[in-house]
Amino acid sequence: MKYRYEEFTWPEIREAVNGNRVAVLPVGTVEQHGPHLPLITDVLTASEMSRLAVERDPARAVLMPPVFYSFNEHHMDFPGTIAVNGETIIRYVTDIGRSLSRHGFRKILIVNGHGSNVPFLDIAARNITNETPAVSAMISWWKLIPKKLLEELRESERPGGMAHGCELETSVLLHLRPDLVQMDKAQKDINFQTPTEFFYWDLEGPSPVMFQEWFSRYSKTGTVGDPTKATAEKGAKFVAAVVERMCALIDEFRAREIRPRVDHH
Ligand SMILES: [Zn+2]
């Protein structure tokens, strides 16, 4: 059964809408990930995990072509990064959702692969919900990792070991695309001095403070974290767990009732 949106014909899209399939939209970014990971890391993680989840039961979802470019101005001191203005991203992703809604899709799930996409994709998902009859939700893939699995597998220090080009991302890439990982160049880089009470970066337990400095101010290598602790075995377990929970999320989102609005004026 087909699931890649761009391979459908228009009558097939109409059928997918009639089948109440969820549109799954991966959003990454093209940016430096240290000396050992490729620029496409965040596109790869979001789109591969989405693909694996949709592929498991294509009758419930369609996989959209990923959004490659996004917001990452703070990485521009490193060669390779392509930075798009935040307002552009919000409108761009909103317009993808608006188009899907006009064709009849009513559930649009955005799967995020890039930490700095969070505020923009949150707003894009809200826009889609507010501006169309569809509803849209956004999930960053690392939020789907069960806490127990992180406790079991994580070796890098907390906080800081899992932030960017880190133990987590490198493990996942070693599983998904080992040909693109140069482990001999992976270096631990957690050099924002001792993490203070409020200023640190970690995907597992983010600081309560919203704050993003120029990356080159606190990373020498373009990495923040400890990629030397990464293995393909860990990556396989992380990916399997994320895909499992993404399948459950798609099912729940698909079954979720869209209730009528009530105008109380
Ligand atoms: Zn990344």
Side-chain angles (χ1 to χ4, degrees), residues 102-149:
R102 285 171 69 181
H103 301 314
F105 288 96
R106 288 297 173 260
K107 304 286 171 60
I108 297 157
L109 179 65
I110 300 169
V111 176
N112 175 35
H114 170 50
S116 291
N117 277 346
V118 170
F120 306 105
L121 296 184
D122 179 20
I123 295 174
R126 288 166 187 249
N127 282 346
I128 295 165
T129 302
N130 292 341
E131 296 174 18
T132 76
V135 291
S136 180
M138 189 274 283
I139 182 74
S140 298
W141 65 260
W142 54 91
K143 296 273 187 192
L144 292 171
I145 302 174
K147 249 196 147 18
K148 251 185 81 181
L149 187 67

Short mmCIF file of all heavy atoms in Angstrom, two decimals, residues 102-149:
data_model
loop_
_atom_site.label_atom_id
_atom_site.label_comp_id
_atom_site.label_asym_id
_atom_site.label_seq_id
_atom_site.Cartn_x
_atom_site.Cartn_y
_atom_site.Cartn_z
N ARG A 102 -7.32 21.84 2.78
CA ARG A 102 -8.20 22.11 1.65
C ARG A 102 -8.50 20.86 0.83
O ARG A 102 -9.54 20.74 0.20
CB ARG A 102 -7.59 23.19 0.75
CG ARG A 102 -7.73 24.57 1.39
CD ARG A 102 -6.96 25.61 0.65
NE ARG A 102 -7.52 25.92 -0.66
CZ ARG A 102 -6.97 26.80 -1.50
NH1 ARG A 102 -5.87 27.44 -1.16
NH2 ARG A 102 -7.52 27.03 -2.66
N HIS A 103 -7.59 19.89 0.87
CA HIS A 103 -7.84 18.62 0.18
C HIS A 103 -8.64 17.66 1.03
O HIS A 103 -8.99 16.57 0.59
CB HIS A 103 -6.52 17.98 -0.25
CG HIS A 103 -5.72 18.86 -1.16
ND1 HIS A 103 -6.29 19.52 -2.23
CD2 HIS A 103 -4.42 19.23 -1.15
CE1 HIS A 103 -5.37 20.26 -2.84
NE2 HIS A 103 -4.23 20.10 -2.20
N GLY A 104 -8.88 18.02 2.28
CA GLY A 104 -9.76 17.22 3.13
C GLY A 104 -9.07 16.53 4.30
O GLY A 104 -9.75 15.94 5.14
N PHE A 105 -7.74 16.58 4.37
CA PHE A 105 -7.09 15.96 5.53
C PHE A 105 -7.50 16.71 6.79
O PHE A 105 -7.56 17.95 6.80
CB PHE A 105 -5.56 15.99 5.37
CG PHE A 105 -5.05 15.02 4.33
CD1 PHE A 105 -4.79 15.44 3.02
CD2 PHE A 105 -4.84 13.68 4.66
CE1 PHE A 105 -4.34 14.56 2.06
CE2 PHE A 105 -4.39 12.78 3.70
CZ PHE A 105 -4.13 13.22 2.40
N ARG A 106 -7.75 15.99 7.86
CA ARG A 106 -8.22 16.63 9.10
C ARG A 106 -7.26 16.43 10.26
O ARG A 106 -7.43 17.04 11.32
CB ARG A 106 -9.61 16.08 9.47
CG ARG A 106 -10.70 16.60 8.55
CD ARG A 106 -10.83 18.12 8.65
NE ARG A 106 -11.75 18.70 7.67
CZ ARG A 106 -11.37 19.30 6.53
NH1 ARG A 106 -10.08 19.37 6.21
NH2 ARG A 106 -12.24 19.81 5.70
N LYS A 107 -6.26 15.57 10.11
CA LYS A 107 -5.27 15.36 11.16
C LYS A 107 -3.88 15.53 10.55
O LYS A 107 -3.51 14.80 9.62
CB LYS A 107 -5.40 13.95 11.76
CG LYS A 107 -6.79 13.61 12.31
CD LYS A 107 -7.07 14.31 13.62
CE LYS A 107 -8.51 14.16 14.06
NZ LYS A 107 -8.95 12.77 14.26
N ILE A 108 -3.14 16.50 11.05
CA ILE A 108 -1.81 16.79 10.52
C ILE A 108 -0.81 16.73 11.66
O ILE A 108 -0.85 17.54 12.58
CB ILE A 108 -1.80 18.16 9.82
CG1 ILE A 108 -2.77 18.12 8.62
CG2 ILE A 108 -0.38 18.53 9.36
CD1 ILE A 108 -3.29 19.45 8.18
N LEU A 109 0.07 15.73 11.60
CA LEU A 109 1.05 15.53 12.66
C LEU A 109 2.43 15.97 12.15
O LEU A 109 2.96 15.42 11.19
CB LEU A 109 1.11 14.05 13.07
CG LEU A 109 2.13 13.71 14.17
CD1 LEU A 109 1.77 14.39 15.49
CD2 LEU A 109 2.24 12.20 14.36
N ILE A 110 2.98 16.98 12.82
CA ILE A 110 4.31 17.47 12.47
C ILE A 110 5.33 16.72 13.34
O ILE A 110 5.20 16.71 14.56
CB ILE A 110 4.41 18.99 12.71
CG1 ILE A 110 3.37 19.73 11.85
CG2 ILE A 110 5.82 19.49 12.43
CD1 ILE A 110 3.22 21.21 12.20
N VAL A 111 6.31 16.08 12.71
CA VAL A 111 7.36 15.37 13.45
C VAL A 111 8.65 16.17 13.33
O VAL A 111 9.20 16.32 12.23
CB VAL A 111 7.55 13.93 12.92
CG1 VAL A 111 8.71 13.25 13.66
CG2 VAL A 111 6.27 13.13 13.09
N ASN A 112 9.12 16.66 14.46
CA ASN A 112 10.26 17.57 14.46
C ASN A 112 11.58 16.86 14.76
O ASN A 112 11.66 16.02 15.64
CB ASN A 112 10.01 18.67 15.51
CG ASN A 112 11.19 19.59 15.65
OD1 ASN A 112 11.87 19.88 14.66
ND2 ASN A 112 11.45 20.05 16.86
N GLY A 113 12.63 17.27 14.02
CA GLY A 113 13.95 16.69 14.24
C GLY A 113 14.99 17.69 14.74
O GLY A 113 16.16 17.33 14.88
N HIS A 114 14.58 18.94 15.03
CA HIS A 114 15.56 20.00 15.31
C HIS A 114 15.10 20.83 16.52
O HIS A 114 14.01 21.42 16.48
CB HIS A 114 15.68 20.86 14.05
CG HIS A 114 16.44 22.13 14.20
ND1 HIS A 114 17.68 22.20 14.78
CD2 HIS A 114 16.12 23.40 13.82
CE1 HIS A 114 18.09 23.46 14.76
NE2 HIS A 114 17.16 24.20 14.19
N GLY A 115 15.93 20.87 17.55
CA GLY A 115 15.55 21.53 18.80
C GLY A 115 15.02 22.94 18.61
O GLY A 115 14.01 23.31 19.20
N SER A 116 15.68 23.73 17.78
CA SER A 116 15.27 25.13 17.64
C SER A 116 14.02 25.31 16.78
O SER A 116 13.54 26.43 16.62
CB SER A 116 16.42 25.95 17.06
OG SER A 116 17.45 26.05 18.02
N ASN A 117 13.49 24.22 16.24
CA ASN A 117 12.21 24.32 15.51
C ASN A 117 11.02 24.41 16.46
O ASN A 117 9.92 24.80 16.03
CB ASN A 117 11.99 23.07 14.64
CG ASN A 117 12.69 23.13 13.30
OD1 ASN A 117 13.13 24.18 12.88
ND2 ASN A 117 12.77 21.99 12.64
N VAL A 118 11.22 24.04 17.72
CA VAL A 118 10.08 23.84 18.61
C VAL A 118 9.12 25.03 18.67
O VAL A 118 7.93 24.87 18.41
CB VAL A 118 10.55 23.39 20.01
CG1 VAL A 118 9.41 23.43 21.02
CG2 VAL A 118 11.16 21.99 19.94
N PRO A 119 9.60 26.25 18.99
CA PRO A 119 8.62 27.35 19.10
C PRO A 119 7.92 27.65 17.77
O PRO A 119 6.73 27.95 17.75
CB PRO A 119 9.47 28.55 19.56
CG PRO A 119 10.88 28.18 19.27
CD PRO A 119 10.97 26.69 19.31
N PHE A 120 8.65 27.54 16.67
CA PHE A 120 8.06 27.88 15.36
C PHE A 120 7.04 26.84 14.92
O PHE A 120 5.98 27.17 14.38
CB PHE A 120 9.18 28.03 14.32
CG PHE A 120 10.23 29.01 14.76
CD1 PHE A 120 11.47 28.59 15.21
CD2 PHE A 120 9.96 30.37 14.78
CE1 PHE A 120 12.43 29.49 15.65
CE2 PHE A 120 10.91 31.29 15.22
CZ PHE A 120 12.15 30.84 15.66
N LEU A 121 7.36 25.57 15.14
CA LEU A 121 6.42 24.51 14.73
C LEU A 121 5.22 24.45 15.66
O LEU A 121 4.12 24.08 15.24
CB LEU A 121 7.14 23.16 14.67
CG LEU A 121 8.24 23.07 13.62
CD1 LEU A 121 8.82 21.65 13.58
CD2 LEU A 121 7.74 23.46 12.23
N ASP A 122 5.41 24.81 16.92
CA ASP A 122 4.28 24.90 17.83
C ASP A 122 3.29 25.92 17.29
O ASP A 122 2.08 25.67 17.19
CB ASP A 122 4.79 25.29 19.23
CG ASP A 122 3.66 25.43 20.25
OD1 ASP A 122 2.58 24.87 20.03
OD2 ASP A 122 3.88 26.10 21.28
N ILE A 123 3.80 27.08 16.88
CA ILE A 123 2.92 28.13 16.35
C ILE A 123 2.30 27.69 15.02
O ILE A 123 1.11 27.90 14.78
CB ILE A 123 3.67 29.46 16.19
CG1 ILE A 123 4.11 29.97 17.57
CG2 ILE A 123 2.79 30.51 15.51
CD1 ILE A 123 5.00 31.20 17.53
N ALA A 124 3.09 27.04 14.17
CA ALA A 124 2.55 26.58 12.87
C ALA A 124 1.39 25.60 13.10
O ALA A 124 0.35 25.70 12.45
CB ALA A 124 3.65 25.92 12.04
N ALA A 125 1.58 24.67 14.05
CA ALA A 125 0.52 23.69 14.33
C ALA A 125 -0.73 24.41 14.86
O ALA A 125 -1.86 24.10 14.47
CB ALA A 125 1.01 22.65 15.34
N ARG A 126 -0.53 25.40 15.74
CA ARG A 126 -1.68 26.17 16.24
C ARG A 126 -2.36 26.93 15.11
O ARG A 126 -3.60 27.00 15.04
CB ARG A 126 -1.22 27.17 17.30
CG ARG A 126 -0.83 26.53 18.60
CD ARG A 126 -0.08 27.53 19.45
NE ARG A 126 0.47 26.93 20.64
CZ ARG A 126 0.03 27.19 21.87
NH1 ARG A 126 -0.97 28.02 22.05
NH2 ARG A 126 0.60 26.61 22.92
N ASN A 127 -1.56 27.53 14.21
CA ASN A 127 -2.13 28.24 13.07
C ASN A 127 -3.02 27.33 12.24
O ASN A 127 -4.12 27.71 11.84
CB ASN A 127 -1.02 28.77 12.16
CG ASN A 127 -0.36 30.03 12.69
OD1 ASN A 127 -0.88 30.67 13.61
ND2 ASN A 127 0.78 30.38 12.13
N ILE A 128 -2.51 26.13 11.96
CA ILE A 128 -3.28 25.19 11.13
C ILE A 128 -4.61 24.87 11.82
O ILE A 128 -5.67 24.88 11.19
CB ILE A 128 -2.46 23.90 10.87
CG1 ILE A 128 -1.22 24.23 10.03
CG2 ILE A 128 -3.33 22.86 10.16
CD1 ILE A 128 -0.16 23.12 10.02
N THR A 129 -4.53 24.62 13.12
CA THR A 129 -5.76 24.32 13.87
C THR A 129 -6.71 25.52 13.88
O THR A 129 -7.93 25.37 13.74
CB THR A 129 -5.40 23.90 15.31
OG1 THR A 129 -4.53 22.77 15.25
CG2 THR A 129 -6.65 23.54 16.10
N ASN A 130 -6.16 26.73 14.05
CA ASN A 130 -7.00 27.93 14.16
C ASN A 130 -7.53 28.41 12.81
O ASN A 130 -8.58 29.04 12.74
CB ASN A 130 -6.22 29.08 14.81
CG ASN A 130 -5.90 28.79 16.27
OD1 ASN A 130 -6.53 27.94 16.90
ND2 ASN A 130 -4.92 29.49 16.80
N GLU A 131 -6.81 28.14 11.74
CA GLU A 131 -7.16 28.73 10.44
C GLU A 131 -7.87 27.76 9.50
O GLU A 131 -8.28 28.14 8.41
CB GLU A 131 -5.88 29.24 9.74
CG GLU A 131 -5.20 30.38 10.50
CD GLU A 131 -3.85 30.78 9.88
OE1 GLU A 131 -3.59 30.42 8.71
OE2 GLU A 131 -3.06 31.43 10.60
N THR A 132 -7.99 26.49 9.90
CA THR A 132 -8.59 25.49 9.01
C THR A 132 -9.52 24.57 9.82
O THR A 132 -9.49 24.59 11.05
CB THR A 132 -7.50 24.59 8.36
OG1 THR A 132 -7.05 23.63 9.33
CG2 THR A 132 -6.32 25.38 7.83
N PRO A 133 -10.29 23.73 9.12
CA PRO A 133 -11.12 22.77 9.85
C PRO A 133 -10.29 21.59 10.39
O PRO A 133 -10.80 20.78 11.17
CB PRO A 133 -12.10 22.25 8.79
CG PRO A 133 -11.88 23.06 7.56
CD PRO A 133 -10.55 23.71 7.66
N ALA A 134 -9.02 21.51 10.01
CA ALA A 134 -8.17 20.40 10.48
C ALA A 134 -7.61 20.71 11.86
O ALA A 134 -7.70 21.83 12.35
CB ALA A 134 -7.03 20.19 9.49
N VAL A 135 -7.04 19.69 12.49
CA VAL A 135 -6.26 19.91 13.71
C VAL A 135 -4.84 19.44 13.46
O VAL A 135 -4.61 18.49 12.72
CB VAL A 135 -6.86 19.20 14.95
CG1 VAL A 135 -8.17 19.84 15.36
CG2 VAL A 135 -7.01 17.70 14.71
N SER A 136 -3.89 20.15 14.07
CA SER A 136 -2.49 19.81 13.87
C SER A 136 -1.79 19.72 15.21
O SER A 136 -2.07 20.50 16.13
CB SER A 136 -1.81 20.86 12.98
OG SER A 136 -0.44 20.53 12.80
N ALA A 137 -0.88 18.73 15.32
CA ALA A 137 -0.10 18.56 16.55
C ALA A 137 1.36 18.41 16.16
O ALA A 137 1.68 18.05 15.02
CB ALA A 137 -0.58 17.31 17.30
N MET A 138 2.25 18.71 17.10
CA MET A 138 3.69 18.63 16.82
C MET A 138 4.39 17.83 17.90
O MET A 138 4.12 18.02 19.07
CB MET A 138 4.27 20.05 16.77
CG MET A 138 5.70 20.13 16.28
SD MET A 138 6.94 19.90 17.57
CE MET A 138 6.88 21.48 18.39
N ILE A 139 5.29 16.92 17.46
CA ILE A 139 6.08 16.15 18.41
C ILE A 139 7.55 16.17 17.97
O ILE A 139 7.85 16.00 16.78
CB ILE A 139 5.56 14.69 18.54
CG1 ILE A 139 6.35 13.89 19.56
CG2 ILE A 139 5.57 13.96 17.20
CD1 ILE A 139 6.07 14.25 21.00
N SER A 140 8.44 16.43 18.92
CA SER A 140 9.86 16.27 18.66
C SER A 140 10.21 14.82 18.97
O SER A 140 9.87 14.31 20.06
CB SER A 140 10.67 17.20 19.56
OG SER A 140 10.34 18.54 19.27
N TRP A 141 10.93 14.13 18.08
CA TRP A 141 11.06 12.68 18.22
C TRP A 141 11.68 12.25 19.54
O TRP A 141 11.31 11.22 20.11
CB TRP A 141 11.82 12.07 17.03
CG TRP A 141 13.26 12.48 16.86
CD1 TRP A 141 13.75 13.41 16.01
CD2 TRP A 141 14.41 11.95 17.56
NE1 TRP A 141 15.11 13.51 16.14
CE2 TRP A 141 15.54 12.62 17.08
CE3 TRP A 141 14.59 10.97 18.54
CZ2 TRP A 141 16.84 12.35 17.54
CZ3 TRP A 141 15.88 10.70 19.00
CH2 TRP A 141 16.98 11.38 18.51
N TRP A 142 12.63 13.04 20.08
CA TRP A 142 13.30 12.61 21.31
C TRP A 142 12.37 12.63 22.51
O TRP A 142 12.62 11.97 23.51
CB TRP A 142 14.55 13.46 21.57
CG TRP A 142 14.30 14.93 21.60
CD1 TRP A 142 14.00 15.69 22.70
CD2 TRP A 142 14.31 15.84 20.48
NE1 TRP A 142 13.82 17.00 22.33
CE2 TRP A 142 14.01 17.12 20.98
CE3 TRP A 142 14.55 15.67 19.11
CZ2 TRP A 142 13.94 18.25 20.15
CZ3 TRP A 142 14.46 16.79 18.28
CH2 TRP A 142 14.16 18.06 18.81
N LYS A 143 11.24 13.37 22.39
CA LYS A 143 10.26 13.38 23.48
C LYS A 143 9.49 12.05 23.56
O LYS A 143 8.74 11.83 24.52
CB LYS A 143 9.25 14.51 23.26
CG LYS A 143 9.86 15.89 23.31
CD LYS A 143 9.90 16.40 24.73
CE LYS A 143 10.34 17.84 24.80
NZ LYS A 143 10.65 18.23 26.18
N LEU A 144 9.64 11.22 22.54
CA LEU A 144 8.93 9.93 22.55
C LEU A 144 9.77 8.81 23.17
O LEU A 144 9.31 7.69 23.30
CB LEU A 144 8.54 9.54 21.10
CG LEU A 144 7.47 10.42 20.45
CD1 LEU A 144 7.33 10.08 18.96
CD2 LEU A 144 6.13 10.25 21.16
N ILE A 145 11.01 9.11 23.54
CA ILE A 145 11.85 8.07 24.15
C ILE A 145 11.39 7.84 25.58
O ILE A 145 11.33 8.78 26.37
CB ILE A 145 13.34 8.48 24.17
CG1 ILE A 145 13.83 8.77 22.76
CG2 ILE A 145 14.19 7.39 24.81
CD1 ILE A 145 15.25 9.33 22.72
N PRO A 146 11.05 6.58 25.92
CA PRO A 146 10.63 6.32 27.31
C PRO A 146 11.77 6.63 28.28
O PRO A 146 12.93 6.33 28.00
CB PRO A 146 10.32 4.81 27.30
CG PRO A 146 10.16 4.45 25.86
CD PRO A 146 11.00 5.40 25.08
N LYS A 147 11.42 7.25 29.41
CA LYS A 147 12.41 7.63 30.43
C LYS A 147 13.25 6.44 30.88
O LYS A 147 14.46 6.54 31.09
CB LYS A 147 11.68 8.23 31.64
CG LYS A 147 11.95 9.73 31.78
CD LYS A 147 11.59 10.27 33.14
CE LYS A 147 12.46 11.40 33.62
NZ LYS A 147 13.27 12.13 32.69
N LYS A 148 12.58 5.30 31.00
CA LYS A 148 13.27 4.09 31.47
C LYS A 148 14.40 3.69 30.52
O LYS A 148 15.47 3.26 30.96
CB LYS A 148 12.27 2.92 31.56
CG LYS A 148 11.95 2.53 32.99
CD LYS A 148 11.07 1.29 33.03
CE LYS A 148 11.91 0.02 32.84
NZ LYS A 148 11.09 -1.19 32.84
N LEU A 149 14.16 3.84 29.24
CA LEU A 149 15.17 3.46 28.25
C LEU A 149 16.37 4.40 28.34
O LEU A 149 17.53 3.96 28.23
CB LEU A 149 14.57 3.48 26.84
CG LEU A 149 15.48 2.93 25.74
CD1 LEU A 149 15.70 1.43 25.92
CD2 LEU A 149 14.90 3.21 24.35
#
